[in-house]
Amino acid sequence: MTDEILKVEHLNKFYGDWQALHDISFGIKKGEVVTLLGPSGSGKSTLIRTLNGLEEFKDGAIYFQGQKVTPDPKTWQALRQKIGMVFQSYDLFPNLTVMDNILLAPVKVQGRDKEDVRKDALELLDRVELRDHADSYPRQLSGGQKQRIAIVRALAMHPELMLFDEVTASLDPEMVRGVLKIIKELSDRDNMTMIIVTHEMNFAAKIADKVLFLENGKILEETPGKEFFDHPQTARAAEFLNSMDF
Ligand code: ADP
Ligand code: MG
């Protein structure tokens, strides 16, 4: 047995003939935060989407909680209840209230009791300081508020692993901090296991247990968080950090 929640071995991914991911291997332990860094187009989103079954992979293997993932739609559908994901664009259903957005999957997919989930949801909304907005519609919320709701919606499933892909990238600067604070709290208070793609280097430096630095679909280095920001192993990563004003 291993305490790794997720393990990726020699993963290759193609878009048509073109190889987007090359021989990706890494693991993440329970409670650990892995940050994916790298220039635009390096494959961060492709990798994170592959870990959630949103992209097919050609060869290699993914293990979740020690079990090899059979990459068929049914398996991924089940796994997505344990692997929460939040993207850059908060894809809330516009015709549903905040509360109904949150209730939808736990009730319809997980078959949980609606009142139980509602209680859960209100607690989570408290945590992100949006309890007052339970009956609002997404259009009545700011981008930052919508993104906090998207996080709550994922958490309402009680995931074992959370994936965040540039969740603050399309937010106004004053909204960014509130969203990052919630993610940091998830790590500090709940010991949530997370894989995070971000361009917020100060945030990444604070939260990352481990950094995977990608370029051209390859992991150029895998370095403990603190070490990466102080002494990256590769010149390419040092240059990247410089370009990010870090
Ligand atoms: P990042 O998130 O690091 O910016 P992506 O994973 O989005 O990078 O993209 C990695 C590479 O894969 C890029 O060259 C991108 O153009 C290409 N790519 C991403 N999605 C697709 C797709 N659906 N079809 C073809 N190429 C894609
Ligand atoms: Mg991306």
Side-chain angles (χ1 to χ4, degrees):
M1 265 309 279
T2 152
D3 60 347
E4 269 172 341
I5 272 201
L6 182 88
K7 194 172 149 113
V8 175
E9 280 182 347
H10 305 295
L11 191 83
N12 289 304
K13 154 93 193 147
F14 289 78
Y15 288 117
D17 290 338
W18 184 74
Q19 188 162 4
L21 295 176
H22 297 257
D23 197 28
I24 300 288
S25 297
F26 72 98
I28 178 166
K29 296 196 184 92
K30 198 165 169 48
E32 215 176 18
V33 177
V34 169
T35 303
L36 305 183
L37 300 179
S40 178
S42 57
K44 305 177 298 293
S45 294
T46 300
L47 175 55
I48 219 165
R49 287 169 57 78
T50 306
L51 301 179
N52 205 12
L54 298 177
E55 297 287 350
E56 292 179 344
F57 57 94
K58 178 155 182 288
D59 46 37
I62 298 175
Y63 296 84
F64 187 75
Q65 294 179 321
Q67 286 214 316
K68 189 168 176 175
V69 176
T70 346
D72 55 59
K74 218 171 149 190
T75 305
W76 279 119
Q77 201 179 17
L79 277 177
R80 273 187 221 119
Q81 296 183 43
K82 298 183 180 179
I83 306 177
M85 177 151 181
V86 184
F87 304 82
Q88 178 174 337
S89 61
Y90 16 81
D91 50 343
L92 301 173
F93 295 106
N95 56 328
L96 297 181
T97 63
V98 162
M99 181 54 84
D100 287 338
N101 263 284
I102 300 168
L103 292 179
L104 192 65
V107 173
K108 288 267 191 290
V109 181
Q110 292 183 319
R112 281 163 58 202
D113 177 73
K114 197 166 178 176
E115 285 319 304
D116 283 353
V117 183
R118 192 188 299 277
K119 258 186 241 153
D120 245 25
L122 286 171
E123 262 171 49
L124 288 166
L125 284 171
D126 255 341
R127 278 185 67 168
V128 303
E129 294 168 21
L130 287 173
R131 194 187 176 110
D132 293 349
H133 290 280
D135 298 322
S136 302
Y137 285 87
R139 66 170 179 279
Q140 298 169 303
L141 304 176
S142 70
Q145 289 173 328
K146 276 189 268 201
Q147 205 52 304
R148 276 142 66 192
I149 298 298
I151 294 172
V152 165
R153 187 175 57 170
L155 292 176
M157 301 282 277
H158 297 306
E160 306 277 342
L161 168 67
M162 282 289 292
L163 310 175
F164 293 97
D165 190 358
E166 296 204 37
V167 294
T168 59
S170 56
L171 299 182
D172 292 333
E174 70 267 28
M175 306 283 179
V176 171
R177 189 190 296 257
V179 173
L180 297 182
K181 182 170 154 251
I182 289 162
I183 299 175
K184 184 75 169 66
E185 265 181 22
L186 272 179
S187 174
D188 293 346
R189 284 197 357 206
D190 306 77
N191 204 30
M192 179 64 78
T193 316
M194 304 192 274
I195 302 179
I196 303 176
V197 178
T198 182
H199 282 123
E200 300 286 336
M201 288 303 121
N202 286 304
F203 168 70
K206 266 189 233 143
I207 201 167
D209 293 308
K210 182 157 89 180
V211 172
L212 303 182
F213 181 73
L214 277 81
E215 187 175 49
N216 299 327
K218 299 184 187 86
I219 297 178
L220 282 200
E221 65 171 274
E222 172 179 333
T223 311
K226 180 150 180 20
E227 209 177 305
F228 179 84
F229 291 95
D230 291 345
H231 308 285
Q233 293 168 25
T234 59
R236 185 63 192 92
E239 186 192 326
F240 173 79
L241 284 174
N242 254 331
S243 76
M244 303 295 285
D245 265 336
F246 187 86

